[in-house]
Amino acid sequence: MLQSLEEINEEIKEKSIRVKIIELRSKGWTRKKISEQLLITVTQDLLKNTKSTGRKRKINEEIKNFVERKTKKYRRMSCKQLSNKIESKLDIKIGKSTVWSIRNELKFKFLFPKKRPLLSERQKEKRLLFAKHHLEKNTDWQKVVFSDETWFYLEGSCGKIWRQWGELEDSVFENLSKFSPKVMFFGGIAYDWISTLIKCPKRINAESYRKCLVSKCGLFTGMDNLHGKKNWVFMQDGAPAHTAKTTINYLEKKCNILQNWPANSPDLNPIENLWGIMSRRLNEIDIKTVKNLEKVVREVWKNIDWLMIENLINSMERRLKLVVQLKGDCINGYF
């Protein structure tokens, strides 16, 4: 059956469009972009046998190694920026979602940076001397009480919740105040012993430290019963209230004091890890008032697993060996 002139022209037009589509697809153009260029609706029928012949994506080891190197070098580089970098350096077109998948496969997570104290060279030297001394002496850390004060905040420090884009319910907001409500506590841990958790006064000086904290936490009775009178050691950092002459005189009558604790070294104190564990547990609880915060902190403290405390105390030798290995530098991130 002979085609009409109109049918022949329509067929020629369709073939012409198909040729143009093939040309554009060979350049890697998307269906949407082709539609906009040719001012037509590109149907699936028109797309038959017109698959893009652009360079095929290959998630090979070269790309993975490139993503790992650049992510470690530029920690804040977005997936979009990295996908552009891959295209310019490797001549491979990869979308930001693919970059995200590669990072996820490489165990990268977008988290807050780890924190560590900024140590001077002099402080590193003292940390190194401290570590070497106790390793050579083979100090029995199971007879040491590790003490510290810390703040717990009503507004959790985690700051992350599950929420959907555009949600405006009260539950997706965190109400911020200029002065965040908080409570400071003093505590101590040792192998087979844990102190009473004491709420700190608003101002800690040598007198309040002795009378309100150390003397009321059950330290001397508890450790004397466990190891014998003055047959154990008390660790405290170099805060002014701790090292005041009146404080030292008071403590020396009742216990041995761990000497030469290096400045700016919370990473050496096992109780710091315990504070972190407690803070994370508190962030999982909906706490509305400061009074409730105090109650929950005490409950969390009372329910600390003894095995956890023992493991923290037993980690001291490994901490000191790491200090030596790192030549006095910070060991945060290893525990």
Side-chain angles (χ1 to χ4, degrees):
M1 185 173 171
L2 294 175
Q3 288 180 300
S4 66
L5 183 61
E6 184 179 344
E7 288 174 331
I8 292 172
N9 287 336
E10 188 65 32
E11 187 176 326
I12 291 171
K13 182 181 178 182
E14 184 176 324
K15 287 181 178 179
S16 176
I17 291 173
R18 193 179 291 275
V19 168
K20 188 64 178 176
I21 291 173
I22 291 172
E23 180 187 344
L24 295 176
R25 289 283 280 172
S26 69
K27 295 179 180 179
W29 284 38
T30 64
R31 179 177 172 179
K32 180 180 179 182
K33 193 174 180 181
I34 294 171
S35 297
E36 292 172 350
Q37 177 68 18
L38 301 181
L39 300 176
I40 62 170
T41 301
V42 180
T43 63
Q44 286 295 337
D45 185 57
L46 284 172
L47 285 174
K48 285 180 181 178
N49 301 318
T50 64
K51 290 185 179 180
S52 171
T53 57
R55 184 168 182 176
K56 189 179 179 181
R57 295 177 186 171
K58 293 182 179 179
I59 311 305
N60 53 28
E61 289 304 313
E62 180 188 14
I63 295 173
K64 289 182 181 179
N65 291 337
F66 186 87
V67 169
E68 184 170 15
R69 288 198 313 271
K70 293 301 177 184
T71 300
K72 287 183 176 180
K73 187 174 181 180
Y74 305 104
R75 296 286 181 176
R76 289 181 170 82
M77 180 180 284
S78 69
C79 291
K80 177 63 176 174
Q81 290 171 322
L82 188 47
S83 70
N84 292 337
K85 186 78 73 174
I86 292 170
E87 185 175 0
S88 64
K89 296 292 185 182
L90 303 181
D91 193 27
I92 299 175
K93 201 166 186 176
I94 289 181
K96 61 181 181 181
S97 59
T98 305
V99 173
W100 185 91
S101 297
I102 295 171
R103 280 175 159 172
N104 190 55
E105 184 182 337
L106 293 170
K107 308 299 182 185
F108 285 108
K109 301 292 181 185
F110 195 61
L111 305 169
F112 296 114
K114 293 180 179 179
K115 295 181 180 179
R116 63 182 178 189
L118 186 60
L119 296 166
S120 67
E121 290 305 314
R122 180 59 178 155
Q123 288 173 337
K124 290 180 184 179
E125 289 174 11
K126 289 189 175 182
R127 285 164 57 89
L128 190 56
L129 288 172
F130 179 85
K132 287 181 176 179
H133 169 76
H134 286 285
L135 287 172
E136 291 170 4
K137 185 181 175 183
N138 197 25
T139 300
D140 184 1
W141 296 106
Q142 293 187 7
K143 289 187 175 182
V144 177
V145 176
F146 295 90
S147 70
D148 191 31
E149 300 94 353
T150 194
W151 289 103
F152 290 104
Y153 293 83
L154 185 60
E155 295 168 359
S157 59
C158 180
K160 296 180 181 179
I161 60 172
W162 290 105
R163 60 184 178 87
Q164 295 173 313
W165 178 260
E167 279 190 288
L168 297 175
E169 296 179 13
D170 286 345
S171 59
V172 305
F173 290 95
E174 182 178 60
N175 296 317
L176 301 177
S177 58
K178 187 175 181 181
F179 302 101
S180 177
K182 57 187 178 181
V183 183
M184 179 182 275
F185 285 93
F186 168 85
I189 58 171
Y191 205 87
D192 292 331
W193 182 83
I194 186 170
S195 77
T196 301
L197 194 64
I198 305 293
K199 180 183 174 183
C200 299
K202 291 183 178 180
R203 182 167 174 250
I204 299 179
N205 53 27
E207 183 178 7
S208 60
Y209 177 67
R210 296 192 313 272
K211 293 182 178 180
C212 302
L213 304 181
V214 177
S215 65
K216 291 186 177 181
C217 71
L219 172 67
F220 306 118
T221 303
M223 291 301 290
D224 283 349
N225 289 340
L226 197 62
H227 296 289
K229 192 171 180 62
K230 292 191 71 173
N231 193 30
W232 51 275
V233 180
F234 179 62
M235 171 271 152
Q236 58 177 4
D237 62 28
H242 302 176
T243 56
K245 187 175 181 180
T246 52
T247 300
I248 297 300
N249 290 340
Y250 170 79
L251 290 173
E252 284 180 339
K253 294 175 182 177
K254 297 177 175 291
C255 65
N256 299 302
I257 303 172
L258 186 64
Q259 300 297 318
N260 302 316
W261 183 264
N264 209 9
S265 297
D267 55 322
L268 296 184
N269 192 349
I271 200 173
E272 291 285 349
N273 298 88
L274 187 57
W275 296 141
I277 292 166
M278 290 179 65
S279 293
R280 288 191 289 275
R281 290 184 182 177
L282 291 171
N283 287 336
E284 297 172 358
I285 303 171
D286 186 20
I287 304 173
K288 300 294 186 182
T289 65
V290 173
K291 185 176 181 179
N292 189 224
L293 173 63
E294 293 181 25
K295 180 181 177 182
V296 175
V297 169
R298 294 183 193 280
E299 288 176 356
V300 172
W301 177 262
K302 288 178 182 177
N303 287 292
I304 292 296
D305 186 359
W306 280 103
L307 182 59
M308 182 188 299
I309 295 175
E310 290 175 5
N311 288 337
L312 288 173
I313 301 298
N314 288 335
S315 72
M316 274 304 296
E317 184 176 353
R318 187 156 59 98
R319 291 172 194 257
L320 299 179
K321 287 181 178 178
L322 273 170
V323 170
V324 174
Q325 182 181 331
L326 299 176
K327 298 180 180 178
D329 212 344
C330 177
I331 61 171
N332 273 0
Y334 290 89
F335 294 90

